[in-house]
Amino acid sequence: MNYSIIRYILARVLEFAGLFMMLPFLVGVIFGERQCWAYLFVASVSLLAGFLGKQFKPKSKVFFAKEGFVTVSLSWLVLSLVGAVPFVLTGEIPSYVDAVFETVSGLTTTGGTILGDVEHLARCTQFWRLFTHWIGGMGVLVLILAVLPLSGSYNMHLMRAESPGPSVGKLVPKVKNTARILYQIYIAITLLEIVALLIAGLPLYDAATMTFSTVGTGGFGLLNSSAAEYSVAVQTIFMVFMVLCGVSFNIYYLFLVKKPKEVLQSEELRTYLGIIAVSSLLVGFNIREGFAGFGEALFHGAFQVISIMTTTGFSTCDFNLWPAFSRMILFLLMIVGACAGSTGGGLKVSRLVVLAKSVKNEISAVIHPRSIKKMHLDGRVLSEKVIHSIRVYFAIYMGIYLMSVLLISLDNFSFETNASAVMAMFNNIGPGFDMVGPMGNFAAFSNFSKCVLMFDMLAGRLELLPLLVVFSIKTWKK
């Protein structure tokens, strides 16, 4: 284990944490809020610690997958622990466990909260909550790779550990340039939504912060009612950008380099859009009696379908009150999630496609035992290694999910609450059903259950293995 390179990158992460927290400080200064000094204090300490830490240069730059997984996991833990401190110092979230829960939820773009009233938070605190979604959306290590002069073969191990999806590749030969391209696309989409929301009538502060939450597919909002009080125009903009950010960012790169054939070949993209369309129609038809007409029902149904499938978590109404059929569709969409390589969470559509093809191939093998069929995705043959990793991922996914539901059941809440709470946290969605529905929160859970749910959020965002590697004894043996 190369501890020196891990320490060096963690020092860089602390520097970035300090720089990130300078933004809410500046927001607080603009609005004349005393809470902003807490952000300046934590930012200063983080910058100093990072500066001192990076003075000890790594003895070796040899960096393997094990170090990559450990570095990414520890980086997210450090960001979460440090990012929670201002909440406590301002007194707006007195409990440090609750503050860490809120920060983990923000950075992992989950959007589940322990707060019952977000409208009375200071503007700088609101900004920090929503900005954590933007930080976590593309990943802080990807940002570090994009802007810092790191070099060497180990860079790809960092990107693989942090980027969502069954397989991660380079868009261009150099990892650094790949990271830059991804962030350039991310920033471009961010600016585009801010402009759209400004045109729709939102003030600059609201437009910027809600954009952070949307493009990061997070779900934190400025209002207790989430997205319900915004105009239809603003809600429509949210819908469009939720869909866009649930698409693999590789698709946008293919558009930029004018490769439309490869875009059209994407089975994941077609499946993703197809599931949204069919689910929206089914939900809209099922809830039509609760609205003025089918058009209104379809709009709200589509909004919730898109919000849940992209794992954003915004809501325009209380879907806890919807018929069981519609709620079941939303629950299934929690599992599916968005596309690999997007800012969304969940199992990922590409994994679902591969698992479905695996079942089809197994049935075919029983009927035609002598036939040998290769599995294809987007016109390419999938290697046995990728197929095996997806099956293992699904097995681990189900194991962690069931164990987490069992553990938080000690709090003695309803089965619907527990099952949906873990599903919402594990897939980085935010709201669940019953007690943790769109009008509820996670404050009633015990500290033990909150720790379980925090683990689920981090494991879901980091695609399970990086976090599990940290807890393996063999990882730390020399």
Side-chain angles (χ1 to χ4, degrees):
M1 177 73 77
N2 187 348
Y3 292 104
S4 62
I5 189 67
I6 295 173
R7 184 193 64 241
Y8 178 76
I9 295 176
L10 288 178
R12 290 293 198 175
V13 169
L14 280 172
E15 282 189 316
F16 271 81
L19 292 173
F20 291 147
M21 277 187 277
M22 290 302 293
L23 291 177
F25 165 68
L26 294 175
V27 169
V29 170
I30 291 170
F31 287 101
E33 297 171 327
R34 59 175 179 78
Q35 291 88 345
C36 69
W37 299 107
Y39 292 93
L40 179 62
F41 173 74
V42 179
S44 301
V45 173
S46 295
L47 286 168
L48 179 60
F51 174 77
L52 294 175
K54 75 176 183 181
Q55 301 309 308
F56 300 93
K57 302 296 181 183
K59 297 176 182 177
S60 170
K61 288 189 176 182
V62 177
F63 204 70
F64 299 106
K66 178 172 67 173
E67 283 90 351
F69 280 17
V70 170
T71 301
V72 168
S73 296
L74 292 181
S75 295
W76 281 72
L77 286 170
V78 166
L79 269 175
S80 299
L81 295 174
V82 172
V85 176
F87 289 133
V88 179
L89 294 182
T90 60
E92 292 175 296
I93 304 181
S95 165
Y96 184 64
V97 173
D98 285 350
V100 175
F101 182 95
E102 198 77 7
T103 310
V104 170
S105 183
L107 289 169
T108 58
T109 72
T110 303
T113 183
I114 51 85
L115 296 169
D117 182 8
V118 299
E119 294 180 19
H120 286 83
L121 295 174
R123 292 290 189 97
C124 57
T125 299
Q126 285 183 328
F127 183 93
W128 177 237
R129 285 179 76 243
L130 276 66
F131 187 57
T132 55
H133 283 331
W134 195 87
I135 296 169
M138 188 58 68
V140 67
L141 270 299
V142 175
L143 178 60
I144 288 176
L145 290 176
V147 301
L148 288 183
L150 294 174
S151 61
S153 60
Y154 60 81
N155 287 356
M156 196 61 202
H157 295 306
L158 291 175
M159 183 169 281
R160 282 199 182 103
E162 190 174 49
S163 299
S167 61
V168 179
K170 294 182 285 186
L171 300 177
V172 290
K174 290 187 177 181
V175 176
K176 186 182 186 69
N177 292 338
T178 295
R180 283 179 176 172
I181 290 168
L182 289 173
Y183 255 95
Q184 284 168 358
I185 295 170
Y186 192 47
I187 291 169
I189 293 174
T190 301
L191 294 175
L192 191 60
E193 185 181 354
I194 290 174
V195 171
L197 290 175
L198 288 172
I199 293 171
L202 285 190
L204 178 59
Y205 175 84
D206 295 51
T209 50
M210 291 303 291
T211 293
F212 295 151
S213 193
T214 307
V215 298
T217 59
F220 281 158
L222 301 175
L223 305 175
N224 295 329
S225 59
S226 187
E229 294 180 36
Y230 293 106
S231 67
V232 173
V234 170
Q235 291 173 351
T236 303
I237 292 170
F238 289 158
M239 288 172 66
V240 169
F241 281 90
M242 283 191 289
V243 172
L244 291 176
C245 292
V247 173
S248 171
F249 277 62
N250 292 0
I251 295 293
Y252 301 125
Y253 175 73
L254 293 174
F255 270 120
L256 290 173
V257 296
K258 298 179 181 179
K259 293 185 178 180
K261 284 187 179 180
E262 292 190 34
V263 174
L264 295 174
Q265 282 181 338
S266 175
E267 292 181 60
E268 183 179 41
L269 179 61
R270 295 199 304 269
T271 305
Y272 167 73
L273 296 176
I275 292 173
I276 288 176
V278 172
S279 299
S280 298
L281 287 170
L282 290 174
V283 172
F285 184 79
N286 187 237
I287 64 173
R288 67 192 185 283
E289 293 181 1
F291 294 91
F294 178 68
E296 184 182 357
L298 181 62
F299 178 84
H300 288 284
F303 189 98
Q304 301 312 144
V305 163
I306 292 168
S307 180
I308 294 297
M309 186 165 177
T310 60
T311 71
T312 306
F314 286 152
S315 61
T316 56
C317 51
D318 188 359
F319 53 76
N320 246 338
L321 306 176
W322 287 2
F325 178 75
S326 293
R327 285 186 286 125
M328 192 62 207
I329 289 176
L330 295 181
F331 185 79
L332 294 174
L333 292 177
M334 287 182 178
I335 302 172
V336 175
C339 297
S342 70
T343 59
L347 188 62
K348 302 296 184 300
V349 176
S350 58
R351 286 197 181 97
L352 182 70
V353 171
V354 173
L355 288 171
K357 288 187 176 186
S358 296
V359 172
K360 183 181 177 182
N361 279 6
E362 288 298 318
I363 295 172
S364 179
V366 172
I367 300 171
H368 305 287
R370 293 185 179 182
S371 66
I372 299 175
K373 284 192 174 183
K374 293 286 185 181
M375 196 179 299
H376 293 77
L377 186 69
D378 300 342
R380 300 183 182 91
V381 177
L382 283 175
S383 68
E384 283 299 321
K385 182 179 179 182
V386 171
I387 297 169
H388 175 73
S389 69
I390 290 173
R391 290 170 178 168
V392 170
Y393 181 93
F394 185 69
I396 298 172
Y397 175 95
M398 291 306 301
I400 293 176
Y401 173 73
L402 294 173
M403 182 57 67
S404 298
V405 173
L406 178 64
L407 290 174
I408 72 166
S409 295
L410 291 170
D411 284 349
N412 204 30
F413 297 131
S414 71
F415 175 77
E416 189 175 7
T417 294
N418 294 333
S420 65
V422 173
M423 189 61 74
M425 297 293 99
F426 200 16
N427 292 297
N428 307 133
I429 293 160
F433 298 104
D434 198 14
M435 198 176 78
V436 292
M439 300 300 122
N441 59 58
F442 292 79
F445 283 97
S446 65
N447 284 344
F448 172 76
S449 291
K450 287 171 184 171
C451 288
V452 172
L453 295 174
M454 281 189 271
F455 174 87
D456 290 338
M457 286 188 274
L458 287 166
R461 173 59 182 84
L462 299 179
E463 302 277 287
L464 307 185
L465 286 180
L467 201 60
L468 295 180
V469 166
V470 173
F471 287 94
S472 172
I473 297 173
K474 293 181 179 179
T475 301
W476 304 100
K477 290 182 179 179
K478 292 186 179 180

